[in-house]
Amino acid sequence: MGTLNVRTDEAMETALEKLTEGTGRTRSDAVRYALLRAYKELLLEQAAADADRLAADADDQAEMLAIQRFMGVA
């Protein structure tokens, strides 16, 4: 496992306090949690952008319709 040193400002210290206060999480746990949440949000944003792009792609729409027809659901 790697080590990361992070400089924090007052807002970050407040956030860390709230993420650890009464939760049993350490500061390191809170940072790991926040990083994973941010990464999950990024993946969801990318998936939404991909879905929008594919919804506007006529070739992809035609392929999905062909698959649905092949499966007997369209």
Side-chain angles (χ1 to χ4, degrees), residues 44-72:
L44 290 172
E45 290 170 7
Q46 290 173 341
D50 288 344
D52 290 343
R53 179 180 49 77
L54 291 173
D57 185 325
D59 291 336
D60 190 66
Q61 292 295 316
E63 185 174 344
M64 284 191 292
L65 182 58
I67 292 169
Q68 290 172 349
R69 287 184 177 147
F70 175 77
M71 295 176 69

Side-chain angles (χ1 to χ4, degrees), residues 27-46:
R27 289 169 60 93
S28 290
D29 291 338
V31 170
R32 282 190 289 272
Y33 170 82
L35 283 171
L36 289 173
R37 283 289 296 232
Y39 181 56
K40 178 182 175 181
E41 288 178 23
L42 175 64
L43 292 176
L44 290 172
E45 290 170 7
Q46 290 173 341

Side-chain angles (χ1 to χ4, degrees), residues 1-41:
M1 182 182 299
T3 300
L4 173 67
N5 293 317
V6 178
R7 289 190 176 96
T8 59
D9 59 14
E10 187 175 332
M12 293 287 288
E13 286 296 325
T14 299
L16 279 169
E17 182 179 323
K18 296 299 180 186
L19 286 170
T20 56
E21 188 175 87
T23 65
R25 285 187 188 127
T26 65
R27 289 169 60 93
S28 290
D29 291 338
V31 170
R32 282 190 289 272
Y33 170 82
L35 283 171
L36 289 173
R37 283 289 296 232
Y39 181 56
K40 178 182 175 181
E41 288 178 23

